[in-house]
Amino acid sequence: MHRNTDPEYHAARATLYCAAAAAFTYPDERTVSELTDSEAREGIERAAERLTVSEEASALLAGITQTPLDELQSAYNDLFGVPADEGTYAVIPYEAHYTTRDELSIEQRRIATVVGLMEEFGVEPSDDFAERQDHVAAELELAQVLAGQRAVALDGGNATAADRIAQAEATVLADHLVEFVPALAYDLRRATDDTAYVAAADLVEELVTYDNGKHPEQEEPAVGGEAP
C-alpha cells in the first residue's frame, strides 16, 4: 500500500487524534476550552475534512459547545468515573477489557507493548492522568504523537525516521486501537444518549477505522515490544 508522504496530511491526523483523546479525558475547563477555542475548532474542522470525518467531528464540537460543563462532567462520571451499585462501570475505557478476556498474562503483555511504544517515542502521561496506559485516551494520545512525529520527519526529509514511525503506527492501529475502539464505541452508544459522548464514540470509531485502512501492512517486527 502506498504511503502518504504529505506532512500536512499527518499533521491533520495528529490534530484529530488529539481531539479524540481529549474527548475521552475528564472534561475540566482546560480540556473543554482547548476543544472549543475558535482557532482550535477551525483546525479540527479542517483536519476532519481532510480525513473524511467532518460530520462526526462537527457533531462532537457542537455537543461539547452546547452542553454545560457540569453536565459534561456528570455524564463522564456516569460513564467512566463512578461504578454502579454492583461495582461495575457503565463503559470500561481500557483496551484489555475488550481483548484479553480477563487472562492476566495476556493483559500484562498487551499493556507492556503499549508502554514500550510510549517509551520508544517519548510519550509521557501528564501527572494528573491516573489511568492505566491501555486507557483509550492514552492510546489515542500515542497515535497523536506518532502522527505528529511522522509529519515532522517528512517535513525534514527524513524518510528513514518516517518509515520507522509508520511501522509503529501500523502496530498501534492494527494490534491495539482497531481491536477495541469499535466495541468501546458500541458500548458507549448503548450506555448514553448524551450528545457529546455519542459524537465522541462516532468520531473515534470512524477515525480509527479510516486510518487503519490507510496504513500499510507491517513489514517488520513491531517496535516497543512483542505483540501478543
Side-chain angles (χ1 to χ4, degrees):
M1 184 182 294
H2 174 69
R3 290 181 180 175
N4 192 315
T5 57
D6 178 4
E8 293 185 1
Y9 173 78
H10 297 292
R13 293 176 53 242
T15 295
L16 287 176
Y17 276 117
C18 180
F24 284 92
T25 57
Y26 183 73
D28 57 21
E29 291 184 3
R30 179 181 59 83
T31 300
V32 170
S33 66
E34 288 176 353
L35 285 171
T36 57
D37 171 80
S38 59
E39 185 175 343
R41 181 168 186 152
E42 289 175 7
I44 293 169
E45 289 172 343
R46 287 195 302 270
E49 184 175 356
R50 183 88 188 253
L51 272 71
T52 71
V53 291
S54 291
E55 182 178 346
E56 293 81 6
S58 295
L60 173 63
L61 293 171
I64 292 174
T65 301
Q66 296 167 9
T67 307
L69 180 61
D70 62 335
E71 293 183 16
L72 283 173
Q73 293 172 340
S74 178
Y76 183 93
N77 285 331
D78 288 345
L79 289 165
F80 308 115
V82 180
D85 292 340
E86 62 273 21
T88 59
Y89 296 90
V91 180
I92 300 176
Y94 298 107
E95 175 194 330
H97 170 72
Y98 292 93
T99 59
T100 66
R101 297 181 177 86
D102 297 323
E103 295 184 35
L104 184 59
S105 62
I106 298 176
E107 174 182 312
Q108 290 174 337
R109 289 202 302 272
R110 292 192 73 93
I111 295 173
T113 303
V114 174
V115 172
L117 284 160
M118 289 180 172
E119 292 176 348
E120 182 81 16
F121 292 92
V123 181
E124 296 184 8
S126 63
D127 293 338
D128 58 354
F129 187 77
E131 305 287 353
R132 285 187 342 217
Q133 287 94 330
D134 66 327
H135 189 282
V136 62
E139 294 198 18
L140 291 169
E141 183 179 355
L142 172 60
Q144 170 204 338
V145 170
L146 289 171
Q149 290 184 1
R150 190 169 172 190
V152 170
L154 289 168
D155 190 54
N158 192 338
T160 300
D163 285 347
R164 173 172 168 267
I165 296 165
Q167 288 299 312
E169 289 187 301
T171 297
V172 171
L173 283 160
D175 293 350
H176 297 279
L177 289 173
V178 296
E179 288 287 296
F180 83 101
V181 162
L184 170 64
Y186 175 80
D187 286 349
L188 185 51
R189 285 188 289 262
R190 289 186 64 189
T192 187
D193 58 4
D194 181 89
T195 302
Y197 284 105
V198 169
D202 293 341
L203 174 62
V204 73
E205 181 174 14
E206 287 299 317
L207 175 60
V208 166
T209 302
Y210 167 88
D211 204 23
N212 185 61
K214 294 294 183 181
H215 272 74
E217 295 294 326
Q218 294 181 35
E219 299 166 357
E220 56 190 41
V223 289
E226 181 180 351

